[in-house]
Amino acid sequence: PSLTINNKTFSIDVAKTEKQKEKGLSVYDKLPLEKGMIFIFDKKGYYSFWMKDMKFPIDIIYIRDNKIVDIFENVSMPKSQNETLTIIKSTEQADKVLEINAGLSQKYNFKINDFVKINL
């Protein structure tokens, strides 16, 4: 599976099961540069994400109807087991969420309303 935004293509893992959605990218110690994970939801909604057990910072991109509706850049992992987890939640409803390495949204100049093409 792959995903393209502004002619930039990422190889993606698809989080299908609830367990996969709960674990997310925490299964990786380090994410290859052009890799990401897409979360696909059955209906539009306000979906919350956290950085539990994450080992590296990421960008979280909310998508609705194949367009970017919100971007959270450089979301950090907790510094310790005791740190309170920050909850990330879009102000816009979304039906998909993409997680990629921190800084890539800015590097590739991703913006609200950019078209997202997904090849599953």
Side-chain angles (χ1 to χ4, degrees):
S2 66
L3 178 145
T4 304
I5 305 170
N6 294 348
N7 297 317
K8 187 69 204 159
T9 300
F10 297 87
S11 167
I12 54 171
D13 289 342
V14 181
K16 295 177 185 165
T17 68
E18 285 308 311
K19 184 126 181 99
Q20 288 171 322
K21 288 178 181 175
E22 186 180 321
K23 285 280 189 200
L25 290 175
S26 70
V27 298
Y28 288 95
D29 288 329
K30 183 176 180 233
L31 191 64
L33 185 63
E34 306 304 330
K35 180 101 174 146
M37 180 174 277
I38 189 88
F39 299 76
I40 300 174
F41 300 98
D42 294 332
K43 61 183 184 186
K44 295 176 179 98
Y46 296 96
Y47 296 99
S48 299
F49 283 72
W50 62 1
M51 297 293 284
K52 185 175 186 217
D53 299 326
M54 285 292 291
K55 299 164 191 83
F56 51 91
I58 58 173
D59 289 351
I60 301 175
I61 301 172
Y62 284 82
I63 301 162
R64 182 181 65 234
D65 299 327
N66 295 320
K67 287 194 174 177
I68 295 176
V69 295
D70 213 345
I71 302 172
F72 291 84
E73 296 180 5
N74 298 307
V75 180
S76 309
M77 62 281 183
K79 292 173 185 61
S80 72
Q81 291 283 357
N82 300 327
E83 185 178 333
T84 304
L85 292 169
T86 302
I87 304 296
I88 304 297
K89 190 173 183 181
S90 176
T91 57
E92 296 284 335
Q93 288 194 6
D95 53 17
K96 296 173 199 69
V97 176
L98 173 67
E99 295 181 343
I100 55 176
N101 277 301
L104 293 184
S105 295
Q106 186 172 23
K107 178 180 179 179
Y108 299 129
N109 203 27
F110 296 162
K111 292 186 171 47
I112 305 297
N113 289 322
D114 280 353
F115 182 75
V116 180
K117 183 181 181 192
I118 303 171
N119 298 304
L120 298 179

Coordinates of all heavy atoms in Angstrom, one line a residue, residues 50-51 56-60 72-77 86 88 102:
W50 N -2.7 9.4 20.8 CA -1.7 9.7 21.8 C -0.4 9.0 21.4 O -0.3 8.3 20.4 CB -2.2 9.2 23.2 CG -2.5 7.7 23.3 CD1 -2.3 6.7 22.2 CD2 -2.9 6.9 24.4 NE1 -2.6 5.5 22.7 CE2 -3.0 5.6 24.0 CE3 -3.3 7.3 25.6 CZ2 -3.5 4.6 24.8 CZ3 -3.7 6.3 26.5 CH2 -3.8 4.9 26.1
M51 N 0.6 9.3 22.2 CA 2.0 8.8 21.9 C 2.5 7.7 22.8 O 3.6 7.5 23.1 CB 3.0 10.0 21.9 CG 2.7 11.0 20.9 SD 2.9 10.5 19.2 CE 4.7 10.5 19.1
F56 N 9.8 7.7 19.0 CA 10.3 8.8 18.1 C 9.1 9.7 17.9 O 7.9 9.3 17.9 CB 10.8 8.2 16.8 CG 9.9 7.3 16.1 CD1 9.0 7.7 15.2 CD2 10.0 5.9 16.4 CE1 8.1 6.9 14.5 CE2 9.1 5.0 15.7 CZ 8.2 5.5 14.8
P57 N 9.4 11.0 17.6 CA 8.3 12.0 17.3 C 7.8 11.8 15.9 O 8.4 11.3 15.0 CB 9.0 13.3 17.4 CG 10.5 13.0 17.1 CD 10.7 11.6 17.6
I58 N 6.5 12.2 15.7 CA 5.8 12.1 14.4 C 5.0 13.3 14.0 O 4.8 14.1 14.9 CB 4.9 10.8 14.4 CG1 3.8 10.9 15.5 CG2 5.7 9.5 14.5 CD1 2.8 9.8 15.4
D59 N 4.6 13.4 12.8 CA 3.6 14.3 12.3 C 2.3 13.5 12.2 O 2.3 12.4 11.7 CB 3.9 14.9 11.0 CG 5.1 15.9 11.0 OD1 5.5 16.2 12.1 OD2 5.5 16.3 9.9
I60 N 1.2 14.1 12.7 CA -0.1 13.4 12.6 C -1.0 14.3 11.7 O -1.2 15.5 11.9 CB -0.8 13.3 14.0 CG1 0.1 12.4 14.9 CG2 -2.2 12.6 13.9 CD1 -0.4 12.3 16.3
F72 N -0.8 18.1 12.8 CA -0.1 18.3 14.0 C 1.4 17.9 13.8 O 1.7 16.7 13.5 CB -0.6 17.4 15.2 CG -2.0 17.9 15.6 CD1 -3.1 17.4 14.9 CD2 -2.2 18.7 16.6 CE1 -4.4 17.8 15.2 CE2 -3.5 19.2 17.0 CZ -4.6 18.7 16.3
E73 N 2.3 18.9 13.8 CA 3.7 18.6 13.5 C 4.5 18.4 14.8 O 4.3 18.9 15.8 CB 4.3 19.9 12.8 CG 3.6 20.1 11.4 CD 4.2 21.3 10.7 OE1 5.2 21.9 11.2 OE2 3.7 21.6 9.7
N74 N 5.5 17.5 14.6 CA 6.5 17.2 15.6 C 5.9 16.9 17.0 O 6.2 17.4 18.0 CB 7.5 18.4 15.8 CG 8.3 18.6 14.5 OD1 8.9 17.7 14.0 ND2 8.2 19.9 14.0
V75 N 5.0 15.9 16.9 CA 4.4 15.4 18.2 C 5.4 14.5 18.9 O 5.8 13.5 18.3 CB 3.1 14.7 17.9 CG1 2.4 14.2 19.2 CG2 2.1 15.6 17.1
S76 N 5.7 14.9 20.1 CA 6.8 14.2 20.8 C 6.3 13.0 21.6 O 5.1 13.0 22.0 CB 7.5 15.1 21.8 OG 7.9 16.3 21.2
M77 N 7.2 12.0 21.8 CA 6.8 10.9 22.7 C 7.0 11.3 24.1 O 7.7 12.3 24.4 CB 7.7 9.7 22.3 CG 9.2 9.9 22.5 SD 9.9 10.8 21.1 CE 11.6 10.8 21.6
T86 N -0.2 13.4 26.2 CA -1.0 14.4 25.5 C -1.9 13.7 24.5 O -1.6 12.8 23.8 CB 0.0 15.3 24.7 OG1 0.9 15.9 25.7 CG2 -0.8 16.4 24.0
I88 N -4.0 14.1 21.2 CA -4.1 14.9 19.9 C -5.5 14.6 19.3 O -5.9 13.5 19.1 CB -3.0 14.4 18.9 CG1 -1.6 14.5 19.5 CG2 -3.1 15.2 17.6 CD1 -1.2 15.9 19.9
A102 N 8.3 12.9 12.0 CA 8.3 14.3 12.4 C 9.1 15.1 11.4 O 10.2 14.8 11.0 CB 8.8 14.5 13.8

